[in-house]
């Protein structure tokens, strides 16, 4: 059959994402992949330099997604299917452009780990993320803020004369446009993916990219890459160089042989072909290869320990196969950001397809022979020169204007293009995509004023780049303008000025709680616990007095502010005030797992350990439990010396 591109609907049991958290993300990133500055001295100089290159302090201007639950219902998801007579790729443009499935038709094998459910969990930089398939991670260390966001998509002529699918968006953490072009040449066993990231600014930008591929794990599944060494990163937050494949008498290229979750960033020698493969006990599986710019390769494994197994169940459903991740990135490790000069771009080609190799060689004790066998089979299936030729053929197509639209992303790219007057052939950001969230910022851009709301509602998203901060500074100093200006100043590191802006806005603000909450965070970050508790209490009372209904925006604001207020009041040793906040929360909010845990902590602070233990015995699930969080262990340890029940065990590192 000729290659086809068509729309489809994929129905999965899915938990709804819920609303955005309306509170601006002022706090530092809660990201596990961090190396202490003192430990960088032992690293290669270029790696240490890129680890220290403009790390993010917050996820501003992006909002946090933490309003999801765990009740799943059959849900139709918009999909794009790219198909020839060999492969069928299913792409989800409304969920970060994730490749949900890559099905090899001649063998009937699914090449990826295809999650049978859509269950958000707190793994992305801004919260909601889900496992499975191939995801495109851009922005900063961690899973992209676009994990559960829509991308623009359209048909574009492919290099071979057929059709390809273009995905594109404006990545907001670094203010960079990017595109992902996917196509299947006729009769090809490989899905080709052309990626381009552009820097339209007059300053150097830090760039992060990792293509994250979920593959089924099994007792005899092995991950192979062209390396004899790797950088091991565990959740103890240390980066150490280790031999491959055996470390500590264990062959770590088999994902189930580790005890705890861990990353292995392979040290691929200069000049070596870039590839990584996951092959089962019979030598069958998936291989990913690329042009040389995409230098990094990585294995992430959950391991066989109780915590890793619990996370696997949490991200899918009992009885389904587990997974590991094989990845490819611009740097050697995911802790690094690579400089991209003004007006420059990065572009490369990736190819994904089936691979079969001699299982005796693949699973033999001779690592060099296992690698050589795998690389030889890859050379026969897709020679390195062919990858370079496909890349060269694709590059002129990268600027081709898209044809028929297949999906629509956000309006933030259109706003930035309008502000910066950027020329970005191949990735149009049309004014027609501008929506309600962009409207006040468009007025600021065109008229120099930020409009005050016509009715009392939680504030919309803030913009924080220097261009928007300058415009806010010269706009009339209305309360809402001061609120957004303070957020932008906070993001820029000018915390004293941010506090002054929020305090100025507070004088005339008809809606005080958003400003009070910002001041409360500033007090917390300044370790002023009592002042933070006072401000949070006042902010929550003001929100409750102002709230007019139980609509989604107000419920989201009440839950988010109530949680933060209770945390601050408990930290300040004020359980009675925290209980008052608890009592004012809507009943449905108090039933959520996060608030059940808060109730247990509150009961401990009130001296009622028996009631707190009863909360655990009754059972609850913290829907937005953060990757690497140990709060469940910590609260349980305050109640009893008994082992933590498996249902609450999400530990990703050994106990100290």
């Amino acid at each position: 059959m000729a290659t086809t591109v068509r729309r489809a609907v994929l129905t999965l049991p899915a938990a709804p994402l819920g609303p955005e958290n309306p509170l601006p993300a002022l706090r530092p990133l809660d990201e596990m992949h961090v190396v202490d500055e003192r430990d960088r001295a032992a690293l290669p100089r270029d790696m240490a330099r890129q680890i220290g290159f403009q790390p993010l302090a917050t996820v501003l201007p992006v909002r946090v997604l933490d309003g999801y639950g765990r009740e799943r219902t059959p849900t139709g998801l918009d999909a794009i299917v790219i198909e020839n007579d060999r492969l069928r790729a299913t792409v989800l443009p409304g969920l970060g452009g994730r490749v949900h499935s890559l099905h090899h038709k001649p063998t009937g094998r699914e090449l990826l780990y295809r999650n049978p459910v859509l269950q958000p969990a707190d793994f992305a930089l801004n919260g909601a993320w889900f496992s499975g398939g191939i995801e495109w991670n851009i922005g900063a260390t961690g899973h992209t803020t676009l994990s559960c966001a829509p991308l623009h998509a359209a048909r574009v002529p492919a290099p071979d004369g057929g059709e390809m699918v273009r995905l594109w968006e404006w990545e907001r953490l670094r203010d960079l446009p990017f595109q992902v072009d996917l196509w299947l040449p006729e009769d090809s066993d490989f899905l080709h993916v052309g990626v381009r990231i552009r820097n339209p600014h007059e300053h150097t930008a830090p760039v992060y990219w990792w293509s994250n591929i979920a593959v089924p794990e099994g007792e005899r599944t092995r991950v192979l890459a062209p390396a004899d060494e790797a950088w091991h990163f565990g959740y103890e937050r240390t980066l150490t160089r280790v031999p491959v494949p055996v470390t500590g008498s264990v062959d770590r290229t088999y994902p189930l042989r580790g005890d705890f979750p861990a990353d292995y960033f392979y040290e691929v020698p200069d000049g070596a072909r870039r590839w990584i493969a996951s092959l089962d006990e019979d030598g069958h599986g998936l291989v990913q290869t690329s042009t040389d710019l995409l230098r990094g390769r990585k294995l992430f494994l959950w391991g066989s320990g109780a915590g890793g197994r619990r996370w696997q169940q949490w991200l899918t459903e009992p009885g389904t196969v587990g997974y590991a991740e094989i990845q490819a990135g611009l740097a050697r490790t995911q802790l690094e950001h690579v400089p991209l000069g003004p007006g420059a771009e990065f572009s490369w080609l990736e190819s994904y397809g089936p691979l079969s190799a001699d299982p005796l060689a693949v699973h033999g004790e001779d690592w060099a022979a296992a690698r050589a066998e795998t690389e030889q089979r890859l050379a026969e299936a897709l020679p390195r020169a062919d990858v370079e030729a496909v890349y060269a053929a694709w590059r002129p197509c990268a600027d081709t204007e898209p044809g028929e639209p297949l999906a629509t992303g956000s309006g933030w790219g259109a706003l930035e293009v309008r502000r910066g007057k950027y020329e970005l052939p191949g990735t149009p950001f049309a004014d027609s995509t501008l929506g309600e969230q962009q409207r006040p910022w468009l007025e600021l851009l065109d008229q120099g004023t930020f409009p005050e709301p016509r009715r009392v509602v939680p504030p919309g998203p803030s913009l924080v780049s220097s261009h928007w901060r300058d415009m806010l500074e010269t706009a009339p100093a209305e309360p809402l303008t001061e609120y957004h200006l303070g957020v932008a100043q906070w993001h820029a590191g000018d915390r004293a000025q941010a506090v002054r802006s929020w305090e100025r806005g507070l004088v005339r603000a008809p809606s005080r709680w958003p400003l009070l909450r910002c001041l409360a965070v500033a007090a917390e970050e300044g370790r002023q616990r009592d002042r933070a508790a006072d401000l949070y209490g006042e902010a929550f009372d003001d929100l409750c007095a102002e709230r007019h209904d139980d609509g989604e925006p107000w419920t989201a604001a009440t839950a988010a502010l109530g949680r933060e207020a209770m945390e601050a009041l408990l930290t300040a040793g004020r359980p009675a005030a925290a209980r008052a906040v608890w009592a004012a929360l809507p009943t449905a909010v108090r039933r959520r797992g996060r608030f059940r845990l808060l109730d247990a902590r509150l009961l401990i602070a009130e001296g009622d350990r028996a009631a707190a233990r009863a909360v655990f015995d009754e059972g609850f699930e913290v829907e937005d439990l953060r990757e690497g969080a140990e709060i469940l262990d910590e609260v349980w340890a305050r109640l009893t010396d008994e082992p933590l029940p498996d249902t609450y065990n999400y530990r990703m590192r050994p106990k100290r």
Side-chain angles (χ1 to χ4, degrees):
M1 62 177 290
T3 302
T4 60
V5 172
R6 57 184 169 86
R7 287 192 180 99
V9 175
L10 176 68
T11 300
L12 291 178
L17 283 172
E20 294 179 331
N21 186 324
L23 308 183
L26 301 176
R27 288 187 175 81
L29 282 176
D30 186 12
E31 169 53 39
M32 296 299 300
H33 291 82
V34 177
V35 174
D36 191 286
E37 191 168 347
R38 291 169 297 181
D39 295 334
R40 294 182 200 167
L43 301 176
R45 192 170 298 176
D46 63 330
M47 182 186 292
R49 184 171 57 250
Q50 290 187 164
I51 288 175
F53 180 49
Q54 295 188 29
L56 282 183
T58 73
V59 296
L60 289 169
V62 178
R63 284 182 152 184
V64 170
L65 284 170
D66 58 5
Y68 48 85
R70 294 195 54 84
E71 292 187 9
R72 300 189 287 262
T73 57
T75 304
L77 306 172
D78 289 337
I80 301 170
V81 177
I82 312 167
E83 186 171 12
N84 65 9
D85 61 349
R86 310 288 296 175
L87 285 176
R88 180 171 61 248
T90 303
V91 181
L92 303 178
L95 293 164
R98 183 81 59 102
V99 179
H100 173 73
S101 168
L102 189 59
H103 178 78
H104 187 233
K105 296 160 86 170
T107 60
R109 287 193 290 114
E110 173 60 46
L111 302 180
L112 306 173
Y113 166 72
R114 183 177 57 193
N115 198 333
V117 303
L118 176 60
Q119 177 55 61
D122 192 3
F123 278 69
L125 286 163
N126 64 327
W129 172 86
F130 64 102
S131 65
I134 306 171
E135 60 177 311
W136 318 111
N137 286 307
I138 181 173
T141 298
H143 293 283
T144 177
T145 60
L146 295 166
S147 293
C148 293
L151 304 189
H152 302 284
R155 297 177 192 265
V156 182
D160 63 348
E163 285 188 319
M164 65 182 176
V165 172
R166 174 163 300 158
L167 307 168
W168 73 99
E169 245 303 353
W170 192 277
E171 200 289 310
R172 301 179 65 210
L173 296 181
R174 302 301 195 182
D175 262 343
L176 300 176
F178 72 98
Q179 70 189 78
V180 178
D181 291 354
L182 306 100
W183 77 101
L184 278 173
E186 192 171 344
D187 300 325
S188 174
D189 273 321
F190 283 84
L191 173 69
H192 295 312
V193 182
V195 182
R196 177 167 65 167
I197 303 169
R198 288 185 276 194
N199 178 10
H201 308 296
E202 296 178 352
H203 59 265
T204 296
V207 173
Y208 174 93
W209 182 279
W210 281 81
S211 301
N212 186 352
I213 310 133
V215 290
E217 66 179 6
E219 291 292 340
R220 292 278 292 164
T221 296
R222 192 177 205 186
V223 172
L224 301 104
D228 292 314
E229 292 182 304
W231 293 93
H232 167 261
F233 184 85
Y235 285 78
E236 304 88 346
R237 301 193 179 192
T238 56
L239 189 64
T240 54
R241 200 165 187 159
V242 298
V244 176
V246 176
T247 305
S249 77
V250 177
D251 189 332
R252 307 289 178 173
T253 60
Y254 290 89
L256 283 174
R257 295 186 183 177
D259 293 328
F260 288 92
D263 298 326
Y264 291 91
F265 300 101
Y266 295 113
E267 186 71 36
V268 180
D270 290 342
R273 184 175 185 181
R274 272 53 168 156
W275 61 270
I276 190 167
S278 174
L279 303 179
D280 65 16
E281 61 183 354
D282 297 318
H284 303 311
L286 172 98
V287 66
Q288 186 269 5
T289 188
S290 71
T291 47
D292 288 355
L293 183 68
L294 204 65
R295 66 175 295 185
R297 292 298 184 275
K298 171 195 165 183
L299 163 65
F300 168 77
L301 54 88
W302 284 107
S304 59
R309 292 301 94 195
R310 181 68 182 123
W311 272 118
Q312 292 265 29
Q313 297 166 10
W314 181 254
L315 294 169
T316 179
E317 59 184 10
T320 54
V321 66
Y323 75 96
E325 294 171 356
I326 58 175
Q327 303 186 24
L330 282 174
R332 279 186 287 187
T333 73
Q334 287 178 326
L335 288 74
E336 302 169 67
H337 298 87
V338 182
L340 180 61
E345 64 180 52
F346 288 140
S347 66
W348 64 89
L349 183 90
E350 305 181 43
S351 298
Y352 298 81
L355 194 71
S356 293
D358 179 359
L360 294 178
V362 166
H363 297 288
E365 294 184 4
D366 187 336
W367 173 243
R371 281 173 37 198
E373 164 66 12
T374 307
E375 188 154 6
Q376 178 58 35
R377 296 293 170 256
L378 171 59
E380 294 167 1
L382 184 65
R384 187 177 188 179
D386 286 4
V387 174
E388 296 290 344
V390 172
Y391 171 68
W394 167 73
R395 279 298 290 119
C397 301
D399 283 348
T400 303
E401 289 304 311
E404 178 195 354
L406 298 172
T408 303
S410 78
W412 296 113
L415 183 68
E416 293 299 336
V417 166
R418 187 156 171 173
R419 183 202 59 76
K421 299 180 173 56
Y422 301 123
E423 296 291 335
L424 298 169
T427 54
F429 294 94
D431 282 353
S432 59
T433 62
L434 293 165
E436 191 65 32
Q437 289 190 332
Q438 292 82 40
R439 190 160 289 115
W441 298 96
L442 193 60
E443 184 169 328
L444 176 65
L445 177 64
D446 292 343
Q447 301 179 28
T449 59
F450 196 92
E452 290 293 304
R454 296 178 182 176
R455 57 191 177 91
V456 176
V457 293
S462 298
L463 293 182
V464 296
S465 68
S466 59
H467 314 285
W468 296 105
R469 188 173 71 248
D470 290 346
M471 282 184 264
L472 288 166
E473 286 176 345
T474 57
E478 299 296 334
L480 188 57
T481 306
E482 296 284 14
Y483 163 81
H484 287 298
L485 175 58
V487 173
Q489 291 165 332
W490 181 271
H491 176 264
D494 193 349
R495 297 191 168 186
Q497 189 59 55
V499 168
R500 285 192 286 271
S501 295
W502 291 326
E503 288 175 341
R504 283 196 306 269
L506 200 58
V507 174
R508 295 189 298 114
S511 181
R512 293 169 52 82
W513 66 265
L515 292 150
L516 288 166
R517 183 265 176 178
C518 289
L519 291 168
V521 174
E524 272 189 325
E525 292 298 305
R527 299 187 179 181
Q528 300 171 294
R529 292 181 176 181
D530 287 332
R531 175 167 168 74
D534 290 341
L535 289 164
Y536 265 122
E538 188 179 352
F540 188 76
D541 289 345
D542 186 72
L543 183 150
C544 291
E546 183 177 286
R547 177 178 170 169
H548 298 302
D549 57 50
D550 292 325
E552 192 174 74
W554 285 111
T555 299
T558 305
L561 185 56
R563 171 182 168 179
E564 290 188 5
M566 287 184 67
E567 298 264 8
L569 291 164
L570 285 171
T571 299
R574 302 185 193 179
R579 179 60 72 188
V581 172
W582 168 266
L585 292 169
T587 302
V589 171
R590 292 202 300 264
R591 291 189 186 127
R592 297 179 188 174
R594 172 63 64 180
F595 289 88
R596 296 291 290 146
L597 177 60
L598 270 171
D599 188 29
R601 293 172 58 194
L602 181 52
L603 288 164
I604 292 171
E606 292 169 335
D608 195 344
R609 292 177 179 271
R613 173 63 186 264
V615 173
F616 275 85
D617 291 343
E618 183 180 337
F620 61 89
E621 293 181 319
V622 181
E623 298 90 345
D624 60 335
L625 187 69
R626 183 66 176 165
E627 174 190 11
E630 297 176 358
I631 184 66
L632 290 169
D633 311 57
E634 294 163 4
V635 177
W636 179 260
R638 295 175 65 186
L639 293 173
T640 177
D641 292 330
E642 298 172 23
L644 181 70
D646 285 346
T647 190
Y648 299 119
N649 186 355
Y650 296 89
R651 178 165 282 277
M652 300 182 80
R653 61 177 178 173
K655 288 187 176 181
R656 293 179 178 177

